[in-house]
């Protein structure tokens, strides 16, 4: 009996690596500490009522952001381990199998479990407030989306200590991801973690499209929407067309592994290239899913701190919509080397170059917005300005990669690694940091200390250039991606060592950001912000910070683009809009079903990973029970906030009578 338990433990848990043992101990200690704090301070009820069952879009947004910061830490540690392994030749910090697992989890976590939830968090924080709405169109679905993402991320991360991490790369090309090359359960964790999370992502895309179309304040026509809201709309259009492709692709891979489907094997008529086409039909639009909202953030931040209207508003809107369409016609540039033929390569080379045109339009519009503006440089503006040279490098190297003959030299080299990190860090992450600093007072009612923010900014930027600029040269010198060691004779050692120093500088920058948040929480009374600490332009800054549960006591009547800025200008002239009477406010009630249903999906997903019916059946039955309960028994799902309560709340947060 004891031998069988030991054998099962060796199969079930990841053993033999001191780093993983350290992770197990850290996870256990952190879990015990959290349970102790919640119990000692009697916060279980508070946690359940205010967070686990909430459908408030602002709290859902905060949970998304907290989860993404946690995933940034996990993915960042993976990156530092990789850079430590290849800092110099013949280092034995990570064995090759572990290295393969680390670069697989790093890419998957950073794209799907860090960038996506950070993006969704900012959607939730800003969009309903920018369009003058009291919530998203489907609050219940919004909460369910978050918990599906969270449970999918937790299931994926569980593979680090249970069963073994996937090691077939972040896009899991066959045959590496088939049973023949990945017989363990790591690839199953990949499939089900992403599948469960992806359901939530698709639901979020649908939710915000409906919210933007149907819930804009009276008078807010399409051409009066803030640019961030436009960018969210364009991103969600891509989501609803791209994510079903990912869902189907991973379902077919699951059938290959569990049902002998042979969709992507060379046996029995399958074709691995079909998988590669399908995954990139999702994968390249995914790049624009995450970068378009960053473009919207830059637009709002730059116009705010330049004290000017955004230059070329209509051209910016059309550029975003053109990008959202063209993003589906560029996927094959990821495999120019795979024998598609000259005609196919030429088409995708031209389409890839064409998408640089609307992107270039946006950069010039931001520069013209700043031209002769009354510029100020708080932390959000610094991140926005730092983006421009970074993304210029990403764009120029992207056009180089779009030249099919040249790509035969660049393909799968460190030149490509440097390019897409320039786009995804210099474009996406810098943009989301700008948005996070910009909307932080709106979330929590206080600004973050600028001195620590500037230290973080400079460490991030210097570290970014030191890390990735050498990688362009390494790629041209012949260094290919995904190698875990190399020899002194290659001549790659000096540039790799410099690149690793840059990676650790970015790690230090993250620690400054954590310290900045900690100091901000400690001194929040000194850093307390007004409803409009930036003298901003859009509607979210017309209400107190943080926003009350119902957002707006009365729905705003929009008359201008940048309506809040124009309203402030009118007030300086003594002109005020007629105040609308306060009426009872209809709000959704909290619900435990999203959390419970997501836990059931986690249980079912865990069962599918190991093929254990004892988890699959109860998990799926729980999902079905939650759907039935929501459909047939959740009649008491909303309530009204009385006028007197609204007036008391407004008087308390505004410091006067209403």
């Amino acid at each position: 009996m004891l031998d069988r338990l030991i054998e099962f433990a060796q199969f079930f848990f990841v053993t033999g690596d001191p780093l993983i043992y350290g992770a197990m101990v850290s996870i256990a200690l952190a879990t015990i500490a959290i349970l102790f704090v919640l119990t000692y301070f009697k916060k279980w009820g508070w946690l359940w009522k205010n967070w686990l069952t909430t459908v408030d879009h602002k709290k859902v947004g905060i949970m998304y952001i907290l989860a993404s910061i946690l995933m940034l830490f996990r993915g960042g540690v993976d990156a530092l381990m990789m850079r430590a392994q290849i800092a110099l030749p013949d280092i034995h910090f990570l064995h090759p199998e572990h290295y393969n697992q680390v670069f697989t989890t790093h890419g998957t976590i950073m794209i799907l479990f860090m960038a996506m939830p950070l993006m969704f968090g900012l959607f939730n924080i800003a969009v309903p407030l920018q369009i003058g709405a009291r919530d998203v169109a489907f609050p219940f679905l919004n909460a369910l989306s978050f918990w599906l993402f969270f449970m999918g991320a937790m299931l994926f991360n569980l593979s680090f200590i249970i069963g073994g991490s996937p090691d077939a790369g972040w896009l899991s090309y066959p045959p590496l991801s088939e049973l023949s090359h990945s017989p363990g359960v790591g690839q199953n964790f990949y499939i089900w973690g992403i599948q469960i999370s992806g359901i939530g992502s698709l639901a979020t895309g649908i939710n915000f499209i409906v919210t933007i179309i149907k819930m804009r304040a009276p008078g807010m026509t399409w051409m009066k929407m803030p640019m961030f809201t436009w960018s969210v709309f364009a991103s969600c259009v891509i989501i609803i067309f791209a994510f079903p492709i990912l869902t189907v692709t991973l379902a077919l891979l699951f059938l290959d592994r569990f049902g002998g489907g042979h969709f992507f094997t060379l046996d029995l008529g399958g074709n691995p290239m079909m998988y590669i086409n399908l995954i990139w039909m999702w994968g390249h639009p995914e790049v624009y899913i995450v970068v378009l909202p960053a473009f919207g953030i830059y637009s709002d931040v730059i116009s705010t701190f330049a004290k000017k209207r955004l230059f070329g508003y209509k051209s910016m809107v059309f550029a975003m919509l053109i990008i959202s369409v063209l993003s589906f016609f560029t996927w094959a540039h990821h495999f120019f080397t795979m024998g598609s033929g000259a005609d196919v390569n030429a088409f995708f080379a031209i389409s890839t170059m064409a998408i640089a045109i609307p992107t270039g339009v946006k950069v010039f519009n931001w520069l013209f917005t700043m031209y002769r503006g009354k510029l100020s440089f708080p932390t959000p503006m610094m991140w926005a300005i730092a983006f421009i040279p970074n993304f210029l490098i990403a764009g120029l190297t992207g056009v180089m990669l779009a030249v099919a003959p040249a790509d035969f030299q660049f393909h799968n080299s460190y030149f490509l690694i440097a390019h897409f990190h320039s786009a995804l860090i210099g474009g996406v992450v810098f943009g989301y940091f700008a948005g996070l600093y910009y909307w932080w007072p709106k979330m929590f009612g206080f600004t973050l200390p600028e001195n620590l923010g500037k230290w973080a900014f400079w460490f991030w930027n210097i570290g970014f250039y030191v890390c990735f600029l050498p990688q362009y040269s390494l790629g041209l010198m012949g260094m290919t991606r995904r190698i875990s060691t190399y020899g002194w004779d290659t001549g790659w050692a000096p540039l790799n060592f410099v690149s690793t120093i840059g990676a650790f500088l970015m790690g230090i920058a993250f620690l400054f950001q954590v310290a900045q948040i900690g100091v901000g929480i400690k001194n929040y009374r000194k850093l307390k912000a007004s409803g409009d600490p930036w003298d901003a332009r859009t509607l979210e800054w017309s209400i107190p910070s943080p926003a009350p549960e119902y957002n707006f006591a009365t729905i705003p009547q929009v008359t201008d683009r940048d309506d809040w800025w124009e309203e402030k200008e009118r007030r300086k002239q003594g002109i005020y809009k007629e105040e609308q009477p306060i009426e009872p406010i209809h709000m959704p009630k909290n619900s435990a079903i999203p959390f419970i249903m997501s836990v059931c999906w986690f249980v079912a997903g865990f069962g599918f990973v190991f093929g254990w019916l004892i988890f699959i059946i109860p998990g799926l039955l729980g999902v079905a029970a939650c759907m039935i309960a929501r459909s047939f028994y959740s009649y008491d799902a909303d309530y009204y906030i009385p006028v007197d309560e609204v007036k008391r709340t407004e008087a308390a947060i505004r410091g006067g009578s209403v």
Side-chain angles (χ1 to χ4, degrees):
M1 183 67 177
L2 181 60
D3 291 340
R4 293 179 63 185
L5 286 174
I6 293 173
E7 183 181 351
F8 173 79
Q10 290 175 339
F11 156 75
F12 189 69
F13 294 104
V14 179
T15 58
D17 193 312
L19 291 173
I20 295 177
Y21 290 142
M24 290 179 177
V25 173
S26 300
I27 292 169
L29 292 176
T31 303
I32 292 169
I34 292 169
L35 296 175
F36 173 78
V37 169
L38 290 172
T39 304
Y40 183 81
F41 291 102
K42 300 178 181 179
K43 291 293 184 179
W44 286 104
W46 166 84
L47 180 67
W48 177 259
K49 181 180 178 182
N50 290 287
W51 296 99
L52 299 185
T53 62
T54 186
V55 296
D56 184 343
H57 70 93
K58 299 177 290 297
K59 290 182 177 179
V60 170
I62 290 169
M63 290 192 293
Y64 266 122
I65 289 169
L66 291 176
S68 71
I69 292 173
L70 181 64
M71 292 297 101
L72 177 59
F73 172 75
R74 164 72 205 277
V77 170
D78 284 345
L80 295 180
M81 288 196 294
M82 284 190 289
R83 287 309 320 170
Q85 170 62 27
I86 57 175
L88 292 170
D90 301 323
I91 290 178
H92 301 289
F93 176 62
L94 300 174
H95 57 77
E97 182 183 0
H98 193 183
Y99 186 85
N100 290 347
Q101 293 173 349
V102 167
F103 74 64
T104 299
T105 56
H106 167 74
T108 308
I109 286 170
M110 287 302 206
I111 294 292
L112 291 166
F113 300 133
M114 189 283 288
M116 290 291 286
L118 187 50
M119 177 183 80
F120 289 151
L122 296 174
F123 284 13
N124 273 279
I125 294 301
V127 170
L129 301 181
Q130 285 197 334
I131 65 174
R134 291 200 168 111
D135 211 318
V136 294
F138 308 114
F140 176 93
L141 186 64
N142 195 35
L144 179 61
S145 298
F146 167 75
W147 287 114
L148 286 171
F149 145 73
F150 185 80
M151 294 302 171
M154 291 302 101
L155 182 63
F156 180 86
N157 278 273
L158 203 61
S159 65
F160 189 55
I161 60 173
I162 293 177
S165 297
D167 59 1
W170 83 275
L171 287 175
S172 291
Y173 286 177
L176 293 177
S177 55
E178 295 282 358
L179 279 175
S180 58
H181 290 72
S182 296
V185 298
Q187 201 57 42
N188 304 340
F189 275 111
Y190 175 93
I191 292 171
W192 284 101
I194 294 176
Q195 285 287 53
I196 294 170
S197 178
I199 297 170
S201 298
L202 180 59
T204 299
I206 296 168
N207 203 347
F208 276 90
I209 284 181
V210 177
T211 299
I212 293 168
I213 291 174
K214 300 294 290 183
M215 299 188 69
R216 301 192 308 277
M220 183 175 282
T221 61
W222 285 99
M223 286 300 162
K224 291 178 183 175
M225 289 199 312
M227 192 52 62
F228 179 68
T229 301
W230 262 116
S231 71
V232 171
F233 180 80
S235 178
C236 289
V237 168
I238 303 176
I239 286 173
I240 64 173
F241 287 104
F243 265 82
I245 301 173
L246 177 65
T247 300
V248 170
T249 305
L250 292 181
L252 294 177
L253 182 61
F254 169 75
L255 290 174
D256 268 14
R257 291 179 59 85
F258 285 80
H262 295 288
F263 290 102
F264 307 128
T265 67
L266 291 175
D267 299 332
L268 301 177
N271 189 349
M273 277 304 299
M274 182 167 71
Y275 179 93
I276 294 171
N277 273 280
L278 287 171
I279 202 70
W280 279 118
M281 287 173 70
W282 161 80
H284 202 80
E286 166 66 14
V287 174
Y288 294 100
I289 286 171
V290 294
V291 82
L292 283 175
F295 290 167
I297 292 168
Y298 295 130
S299 300
D300 284 2
V301 167
I302 289 172
S303 62
T304 292
F305 296 111
K307 296 292 185 285
K308 282 179 63 181
R309 275 181 178 255
L310 182 67
F311 182 90
Y313 175 90
K314 289 185 179 179
S315 66
M316 295 284 268
V317 170
F318 289 121
M320 282 187 179
L321 297 178
I322 290 167
I323 289 171
S324 68
V325 173
L326 285 180
S327 67
F328 286 95
F329 294 93
T330 62
W331 82 86
H333 69 222
H334 290 276
F335 43 93
F336 281 150
T337 63
M338 294 187 184
S340 299
D343 293 342
V344 171
N345 283 1
F347 173 85
F348 284 97
I350 292 169
S351 65
T352 303
M353 295 177 195
I355 208 168
I357 298 172
T359 306
V361 166
K362 304 171 97 44
V363 173
F364 281 108
N365 283 353
W366 292 319
L367 293 174
F368 284 127
T369 301
M370 289 187 279
Y371 180 64
R372 291 188 174 179
K374 297 178 181 178
L375 297 175
S376 58
F377 299 96
T379 314
M381 185 63 163
M382 292 176 67
W383 284 106
I385 292 175
F387 147 81
I388 293 174
N390 287 341
F391 205 73
L392 181 64
I393 295 170
L396 291 173
T397 54
V399 172
M400 292 172 66
L401 287 160
V403 179
D407 187 66
F408 274 69
Q409 302 301 316
F410 302 141
H411 186 75
N412 270 351
S413 75
Y414 260 70
F415 188 94
L416 173 64
I417 298 293
H419 158 72
F420 73 68
H421 279 88
S422 294
L424 294 174
I425 295 180
V428 175
V429 176
F430 282 16
Y432 292 170
F433 283 168
L436 191 59
Y437 285 110
Y438 183 60
W439 284 305
W440 187 274
K442 187 53 58 182
M443 288 187 277
F444 299 109
F446 65 92
T447 56
L448 290 170
E450 285 284 309
N451 56 341
L452 286 170
K454 287 180 168 57
W455 277 101
F457 170 84
W458 286 112
F459 267 93
W460 261 108
N461 275 268
I462 294 170
F464 173 84
Y465 286 113
V466 172
C467 182
F468 293 109
L469 287 184
Q471 294 182 13
Y472 287 109
S473 296
L474 285 167
L476 296 176
M477 293 166 67
M479 184 174 179
T480 56
R481 64 197 300 190
R482 299 173 177 168
I483 61 171
S484 60
T485 189
Y486 55 94
W488 286 99
D489 58 332
T490 59
W492 303 337
L495 289 176
N496 267 313
F497 188 73
V498 170
S499 182
T500 298
I501 291 173
F504 277 88
L505 289 176
M506 288 189 283
I508 294 171
F510 178 77
L511 296 179
F512 271 112
Q513 290 176 307
V514 173
Q516 184 184 15
I517 294 172
V519 172
I521 293 171
K522 181 180 178 182
N523 299 318
Y524 78 96
R525 295 185 187 277
K526 297 178 183 178
L527 298 166
K528 191 173 181 180
S530 65
D532 184 15
W534 309 122
D535 192 19
R537 309 182 72 82
T538 44
L539 284 178
E540 73 267 33
W541 302 106
S542 67
I543 58 177
S545 299
E549 178 187 5
Y550 46 79
N551 296 345
F552 297 89
T554 58
I555 297 297
Q557 308 292 311
V558 176
T559 57
D560 298 280
R561 179 162 37 102
D562 294 348
D563 191 71
W564 174 234
W565 177 266
E566 300 298 333
E567 174 67 13
K568 289 186 288 186
E569 293 299 307
R570 287 191 292 267
R571 290 181 182 182
K572 291 176 184 177
Q573 302 171 19
I575 303 171
Y576 291 84
K577 288 182 180 178
E578 181 181 351
E579 290 191 9
Q580 302 296 315
I582 296 177
E583 298 178 350
I585 296 175
H586 177 258
M587 296 296 292
K589 285 185 177 179
N590 286 359
S591 174
I593 295 177
F595 178 74
I596 296 171
M597 186 189 295
S598 302
V599 171
C600 293
W601 268 115
F602 178 90
V603 172
F606 187 81
F608 279 119
V609 165
F610 287 94
W612 293 345
L613 291 177
I614 195 172
F615 288 98
I616 296 172
I617 294 174
L620 293 181
L621 287 176
V623 171
C626 288
M627 295 174 72
I628 292 170
R630 174 63 181 174
S631 299
F632 298 105
Y633 298 100
S634 295
Y635 296 114
D636 186 22
D638 49 19
Y639 70 104
Y640 282 88
I641 303 176
V643 172
D644 290 343
E645 185 177 337
V646 175
K647 289 182 176 180
R648 285 195 301 271
T649 303
E650 290 292 303
I653 60 180
R654 294 180 185 271
S657 60
V658 177

